[in-house]
Amino acid sequence: MATAPDAAPGPGPDGHAADRARLLAAPGPGGRERRTALSALTDDWLAGLFAAAGAPAGAAVVAVGGYGRGELSPRSDLDVLLLHEGRLDAALPERLWYPVWDSGVPLDHAVRTPAEARAVAAADLKAQLGLLDARHVAGDPALTAALRSAVLADWRAGAARRLPELRELGRERAERHGELSFLLEPDLKEARGGLRDVVALRAVAASWLADAPREGLDAAALRLADVRDAVHLVTGRATERLALQDQDQVAARLGVPDADALLRRVYEAARTVAYASDVAWRSVERVLAARSGRGRRPPRRVPFAPFTAAGRGAAARGAVERRPLAEGVVEQDGEAVLALGARPAADPVLPLRAAAAAAQNGLPLAYATVRRLAAECRPLPVPWPDEAREQLVTLLGAGEACLPVWEALEAQGLVTRLLPDWEWVRCRPQRNAVHRWTVDRHLVETAVRAAAMTRRVARPDLLLVAALLHDLGKGRPGDHSEAGEALVRGLAARMGFDPESVETLAVLVRHHLTLVETATRRDPDDPATVEAVTGAVGTAARLELLRALTEADALATGPAAWSAWRASLVDGLTARAAARLSGAGGGWPGPVEAGPTAEQERLAVEAARTGGPALSLSAAAPRADGDGAGPMGARLLLAVPDRPGLLGTVAGVLALHRLAVRSAHLRELDPVGAGPVLVLSWRVAAAFGELPEAARLRADLRRALDGSLDVARRLAERDAAAPRRRGVPAPPPVVAVAPPVASASATVLEVRAHDAPGLLHRIGRALDGAGVRVRTAHVSTLGADAVDAFYLTDGAGRPLGARRAGEVAAAVRAALG
């Protein structure tokens, strides 16, 4: 039997183990340098073993997987392939593997020909991913190079089939292991945003179909790998879980102040990886859809060069379908992007407007768009313009669709630019078994839950903002509710809320735990218990908001924080407190008692004398930043001789001119004794472009009133021609008759609904069809929610009977669908 030729022996298992131990114990640099050094040490050892085993020509040792990338952690497996051509001595693998086994190093090995390796990769996605990182260690380098080229070619040729499979693997991992960004004991490798996702992103890039945004991605991957190394060294085991009992030691090894700071660093890195994954997979979907003929664009690789002039003009050169969403924002390829004429540098509200439009339409905010907004938009003036506050509320009111848009803003630092105090709660862990989320994500989740409750309250904007800010004091010294109250007072004023709203937000934040703690710890039948609640909130309107916030907060905390029992206790306490506060105000406002302005009287006289509409349209005062970009706001005063259906007709004409109604008030005057004139005071905003000319608006109003312009038909035609968008589900409208105490001279009909073009027109037509008279009205649009009150009488000017009022409410409810 032939003997193997003499060969210089490589280091034995004991020698390698000693070298390895010295490397891991050395005080020098850790991190990437140590992983590289450990990989090189292992390369030398395996090369020596390969030579000592008497390996023939036409064979090679190939590192794959993490070892192939040169990323050996202290307790990592060795993923090794013995590659060969032709016949191979059956004893060779044993001569190679036994010294590795004897050393105690975990080994994942295979012996294959290049054809066999490719066949296994074709059948096993995980094996193919490992081979994408193949690296030559010893033997015939041409053999390794040929295999690498073939595997990469196979991967690119089969990318349309393998990439969806790869994404599905990622989704399954996320379901099993959760999101790394929020777990108190995260799996650094398998959880969403972990090291497995980093590998998947490398595979996406290798396909040449798409790529992930690179900004911060390598640093995030390095941070996760460094933490994994420290976990291996602290535990002495090949574990990927950052367990609670090990976090202090891991933090100390990494030079991090404490376990909370360690988790924040891990969470930040994981969010970078998760966001990059979301962007990359959306790019893959667009390219694959185009290849299959389902997309609107030819197949191409999706670049990430948003700041080049060529990148910004690419859409203009191609026949790309772009659908308007808001001023400066359009939909393209299933994402919200900036319109070609958008001017971010002159429009500081644009980030919030784009985010709100994306969320309300159920679309992601394009990566290039967010980067451009972060780079070019100036900070908002202080106090914020009304539109900025309204757009924030609209974003939060989108519910679940808000989450990915918020994450996109967060990834580019736009959230902390808007809310500087957000930095204190960003990625802050909550070491409480009840809490599922970090503090910042809990706040957004609370707003998501509150979005489903906006029909319960008269001020949905205050509910949503309070939900977003209620735990802002966490991380500050002292009681977080007290700290949060002080912070929110300043922040709400910065946002431009009026003093009464600032006070309400402060009360909600200060007492966001009061209802549930009082209901579960105090005697509900003790008058002092009810007094404690009423003394804290002060008004029925704040109690209504606090009840909704309490439930949203608990639901966003976790399943253990809210139950039918707790809900019943809170409801019972709320009912007792509401009865005590029934005379404390805070309900629907009554008719405005202040007299008409000189401008209103002038227009009323003109309308009475001419018998037609008289109006005044004036642009809103210039914003504090001095720029005019963004939707144009205006004050519209309109006087028209009273007639049936007036409110719906006027609202329909405004909708035809794409004027969004932000608020409206209707009052009745009789300036010359010739009959009532309705005076409508509107605050409107142009949905797109400039405001209409006053003369054109007046002409269309005349035509609508004399019947030559069929407003309802024109709106229906426009709606039918508009592209269907999926949008986000909104809570159903609430139409209710207020108790008789709301008004002694009229029946008050309360309407709370999702705002939409033509909403007020539909309500007005329904009221007209019901044969009732609108004596006065208070219309408000708060973010994406319309909160309206209509004071109704019969033809003789009397309040409606209970049955008649119910019929009118049913008619309006039917009109809203």
Side-chain angles (χ1 to χ4, degrees):
M1 183 174 65
T3 59
D6 291 339
D14 292 339
H16 173 71
D19 291 342
R20 178 187 176 91
R22 281 193 295 272
L23 174 62
L24 296 180
R32 173 184 278 173
E33 292 86 350
R34 182 171 55 204
R35 289 189 292 275
T36 301
L38 186 56
S39 297
L41 178 68
T42 305
D43 287 353
D44 292 343
W45 179 42
L46 290 180
L49 293 175
F50 184 72
V61 175
V62 181
V64 298
Y67 179 30
R69 295 188 297 273
E71 296 177 353
L72 272 185
S73 288
R75 298 291 175 178
S76 290
D77 292 356
L78 287 185
D79 294 324
V80 182
L81 171 64
L82 178 57
L83 193 64
H84 68 94
E85 289 182 321
R87 295 179 60 83
L88 187 70
D89 181 0
L92 175 63
E94 293 185 357
R95 294 198 297 270
L96 182 60
W97 307 142
Y98 267 107
V100 179
W101 291 328
D102 290 344
S103 73
V105 175
L107 177 67
D108 188 354
H109 62 89
V111 181
R112 294 188 179 109
T113 65
E116 290 170 341
R118 293 177 66 188
V120 170
D124 185 342
L125 177 59
K126 293 181 180 179
Q128 190 169 34
L129 293 176
L131 286 173
L132 289 177
D133 294 311
R135 179 175 58 82
H136 183 71
V137 173
D140 185 353
L143 197 58
T144 304
L147 177 63
R148 273 186 54 84
S149 297
V151 168
L152 281 169
D154 292 342
W155 175 248
R156 288 162 187 158
R161 176 176 59 88
R162 301 317 294 264
L163 286 177
E165 185 181 350
L166 178 59
R167 184 170 195 187
E168 188 56 34
L169 283 178
R171 287 172 173 159
E172 292 173 358
R173 278 192 293 101
E175 289 178 2
R176 287 196 308 272
H177 298 281
E179 294 198 51
L180 178 51
S181 302
F182 309 116
L183 297 169
L184 283 177
E185 289 189 304
D187 188 310
L188 299 166
K189 189 173 185 179
E190 303 292 343
R192 180 176 181 265
L195 292 167
R196 284 279 190 211
D197 282 339
V198 175
V199 174
L201 290 178
R202 290 194 181 102
V204 170
S207 73
W208 285 359
L209 291 184
D211 198 0
R214 290 288 149 190
E215 183 180 20
L217 183 58
D218 289 343
L222 284 174
R223 177 169 291 180
L224 293 177
D226 290 350
V227 175
R228 179 176 65 169
D229 286 2
V231 170
H232 285 189
L233 292 172
V234 164
T235 63
R237 295 181 290 111
T239 178
E240 315 298 341
R241 186 169 297 281
L242 181 57
L244 289 173
Q245 66 269 21
D246 301 323
Q247 289 174 9
D248 287 322
Q249 290 178 273
V250 171
R253 179 172 283 276
L254 293 171
V256 178
D258 55 33
D260 276 3
L262 170 66
L263 281 180
R264 290 191 77 175
R265 291 190 178 193
V266 169
Y267 293 162
E268 288 170 350
R271 289 189 187 184
T272 299
V273 174
Y275 177 62
S277 298
D278 290 341
V279 173
W281 286 117
R282 287 202 304 270
S283 300
V284 169
E285 286 182 349
R286 287 197 301 273
V287 173
L288 295 183
R291 282 191 165 189
S292 66
R294 292 181 287 112
R296 293 185 292 270
R297 303 171 74 171
R300 61 179 179 87
R301 187 179 182 192
V302 179
F304 289 96
F307 297 110
T308 65
R312 285 201 292 263
R317 293 192 299 271
V320 179
E321 186 177 0
R322 301 165 70 89
R323 300 173 181 174
L325 299 176
E327 180 65 23
V329 189
V330 298
E331 177 186 355
Q332 177 183 313
D333 280 346
E335 294 182 320
V337 305
L338 293 184
L340 297 178
R343 295 186 295 139
D347 189 359
V349 184
L350 187 54
L352 281 172
R353 191 184 315 119
Q360 285 291 328
N361 287 278
L363 299 170
L365 198 53
Y367 170 73
T369 291
V370 186
R371 289 205 65 194
R372 186 178 171 197
L373 290 171
E376 298 183 20
C377 281
R378 292 180 296 169
L380 283 169
V382 178
W384 289 9
D386 289 345
E387 190 210 347
R389 190 172 60 255
E390 292 163 358
Q391 296 293 356
L392 174 63
V393 172
T394 302
L395 168 62
L396 299 176
E400 291 283 350
C402 167
L403 291 172
V405 176
W406 189 272
E407 289 172 355
L409 298 178
E410 183 91 81
Q412 295 299 327
L414 284 167
V415 172
T416 48
R417 186 187 300 182
L418 291 166
L419 310 172
D421 293 307
W422 194 260
E423 184 61 31
W424 283 85
V425 297
R426 188 176 62 84
C427 292
R428 181 172 292 278
Q430 304 200 77
R431 295 186 178 276
N432 184 320
V434 175
H435 274 280
R436 298 175 57 193
W437 310 106
T438 54
V439 178
D440 60 335
R441 179 58 179 265
H442 168 71
L443 293 174
V444 183
E445 289 282 345
T446 304
V448 168
R449 297 288 187 168
M453 304 175 188
T454 52
R455 301 294 176 267
R456 301 186 192 177
V457 298
R459 287 295 301 274
D461 56 332
L462 297 185
L463 172 61
L464 292 168
V465 173
L468 181 70
L469 304 179
H470 73 277
D471 276 346
L472 202 60
K474 287 190 173 178
R476 305 290 183 120
D479 182 275
H480 80 276
S481 297
E482 295 178 1
E485 176 189 4
L487 290 171
V488 166
R489 286 187 187 277
L491 184 53
R494 174 188 177 92
M495 289 178 172
F497 281 104
D498 61 80
E500 176 63 24
S501 297
V502 171
E503 184 63 26
T504 296
L505 287 169
V507 168
L508 292 174
V509 171
R510 175 67 181 86
H511 294 287
H512 69 271
L513 298 175
T514 295
L515 276 182
V516 71
E517 289 183 349
T518 305
T520 56
R521 299 177 186 178
R522 301 272 295 273
D523 179 2
D525 295 320
D526 187 342
T529 302
V530 177
E531 186 63 32
V533 174
T534 58
V537 299
T539 70
R542 288 177 184 165
L543 178 64
E544 176 185 73
L545 287 165
L546 186 61
R547 170 60 183 84
L549 175 60
T550 299
E551 182 175 348
D553 182 19
L555 290 173
T557 297
W562 193 248
S563 64
W565 172 74
R566 287 197 173 196
S568 66
L569 292 179
V570 169
D571 285 340
L573 178 59
T574 302
R576 291 178 174 87
R580 181 76 61 87
L581 291 169
S582 58
W588 287 103
V592 176
E593 297 298 332
T597 66
E599 180 71 1
Q600 288 174 332
E601 289 183 334
R602 182 186 69 79
L603 291 173
V605 169
E606 180 182 343
R609 288 177 176 171
T610 63
L615 64 82
S616 170
L617 180 65
S618 58
R623 293 203 303 256
D625 59 6
D627 285 311
M632 290 294 294
R635 302 291 301 187
L636 172 64
L637 283 178
L638 173 66
V640 187
D642 193 13
R643 66 183 69 189
L646 181 62
L647 178 62
T649 299
V650 173
V653 172
L654 297 185
L656 280 178
H657 284 266
R658 299 190 185 276
L659 290 174
V661 177
R662 307 310 300 171
S663 66
H665 174 251
L666 181 153
R667 70 187 305 158
E668 185 179 282
L669 297 177
D670 189 357
V672 295
V677 172
L678 290 187
V679 178
L680 300 99
S681 303
W682 307 81
R683 185 166 69 88
V684 297
F688 305 103
E690 302 295 325
L691 293 169
E693 295 180 358
R696 181 180 175 190
L697 187 59
R698 184 184 295 108
D700 283 348
L701 283 168
R702 285 200 180 99
R703 293 171 56 214
L705 293 170
D706 67 24
S708 59
L709 174 62
D710 189 337
V711 175
R713 183 178 61 82
R714 289 280 300 276
L715 286 173
E717 289 173 350
R718 192 177 71 185
D719 290 344
R724 297 289 180 184
R725 298 192 190 94
R726 48 188 167 178
V728 296
V734 171
V735 182
V737 179
V741 295
S743 174
S745 58
T747 297
V748 180
L749 186 71
E750 303 172 353
V751 180
R752 301 174 185 178
H754 187 76
D755 189 35
L759 175 69
L760 190 55
H761 170 67
R762 295 199 299 276
I763 295 173
R765 290 194 69 196
L767 294 176
D768 180 43
V772 295
R773 188 162 170 259
V774 181
R775 199 189 74 193
T776 188
H778 299 268
V779 174
S780 297
T781 303
L782 304 170
D785 292 296
V787 180
D788 306 336
F790 301 92
Y791 289 74
L792 309 177
T793 64
D794 60 18
R798 297 184 300 262
L800 308 180
R803 180 176 178 181
R804 181 79 177 108
E807 293 171 349
V808 173
V812 173
R813 201 175 295 117
L816 298 181

